[in-house]
Amino acid sequence: MPCAQSRGTIPVVAPTRERGGVVETDVEGVEQAVSTGSLPGWERVGELVATAHARYRDHDGGAVADYIPVLAGADPRLFGVCVAESGGRVHAAGDVDVEFSVQSVSKAFVYALVCDAFGHEEVLERVGVDNTGLAFNSVMAVELHDGHPRNPMVNAGALATTALVPGATPAEQWESVRTGLSRFAGRPLELDETVYRSESATNARNKAIARLLQSYGRIENDPLDVVDVYTRQCALRVSARDLAVMGATLADGGVNPLTGERVVSAQVCRDTLAVLASTGLYERSGEWLFEIGLPAKSGVAGGIVAVAPGKGAIGTFSPRLDPAGNSVRGQRATAYLSRTLGLNLFASSVHVPERTERPS
């Protein structure tokens, strides 16, 4: 069934409930000021990327994903670490140019594209931004919230988001996804046909979630078409270098640091990173933010992208995963670089020279 939407307006096929507990801001017309700092010098960043790779390359914790048959054959020894600066410089160590399927990391960038097409409020109403606290493919999370997907980084929210991608047909929507993510990466991305076929044969749960969302009026497209576009989206081939550049595009206000092309608006970047901070690592998102302090997104093929606004992004690849589906080496390398590069959003130090004396 073709999409009926036009750019800039999301059709609502069933009444939407009012969102309760919304944070009151009242900042319309107030310009967003930005102050983010910068990374250390070229040589220092390069040294730390190399050190992160050397420090964790022999760690053998975790296991390769096997619930998607084709992923079970990944080489568990592969490990790449890359940092792309918002100014365009790239630092790499290890297997940074080995391609793998983007999987759920795609959710972040498709969400950004949809937000750029339809705007902050409309996508917020349809998809939401709150963590479910449940598994990424939970059906119960949908039922518990009257059909509301809650956030775009779990499968229900990602399917609702993909359904909104501009395009009159599923084929046009898929091309919008492919070209949009390619603009983030700064090069043409291609579909991994083997991964796509493997996931298409094992995605019954996503089909059930899409049908459930349709029953609640959260998607109006044919649910099987939505799942097919989403499955293709997850099967795009990327590298750790690509992930770093894609993340750096979000870090640089929506402008790709290599091509200079504006991909999305600065507000869309802010919105996307806010969602990633609270939901990007699934049910481990709170722990991730507590320990590492960066918006990030993971995928079960072993990729992680972590973004430092205004500074750049870290892209890692290693197929060994923890029980939540997050790359073990990738988490460790990102944690190391967050600390050593001063990326943690919540870290601060005492500025004694700037302190004024208090009256006695």
Side-chain angles (χ1 to χ4, degrees), residues 111 128-129 151-153 270-280:
Y111 177 73
V129 294
N151 77 72
M153 300 304 142
R270 186 203 69 189
D271 291 351
T272 303
L273 294 179
V275 171
L276 291 183
S278 60
T279 66

Side-chain angles (χ1 to χ4, degrees), residues 104-137:
S104 286
V105 179
S106 65
K107 295 173 181 174
F109 299 99
V110 173
Y111 177 73
L113 293 172
V114 168
C115 285
D116 203 56
F118 296 108
H120 178 97
E121 287 296 331
E122 290 194 70
V123 179
L124 176 62
E125 172 60 34
R126 178 58 68 95
V127 182
V129 294
D130 292 321
N131 203 318
T132 66
L134 298 171
F136 69 93
N137 60 353

Side-chain angles (χ1 to χ4, degrees), residues 95-103 105-106 181-182 185 187 189-190 192 233-243 246 301 303 317:
D95 303 307
V96 296
D97 294 314
V98 172
E99 293 190 346
F100 54 94
S101 54
V102 66
Q103 298 298 331
V105 179
S106 65
L181 268 62
S182 295
R187 72 176 185 94
L189 300 179
E190 301 297 334
D192 188 317
Q233 158 191 322
C234 291
L236 277 170
R237 296 180 65 86
V238 296
S239 66
R241 187 187 300 272
D242 291 328
L243 293 186
M246 295 168 80
F317 168 57

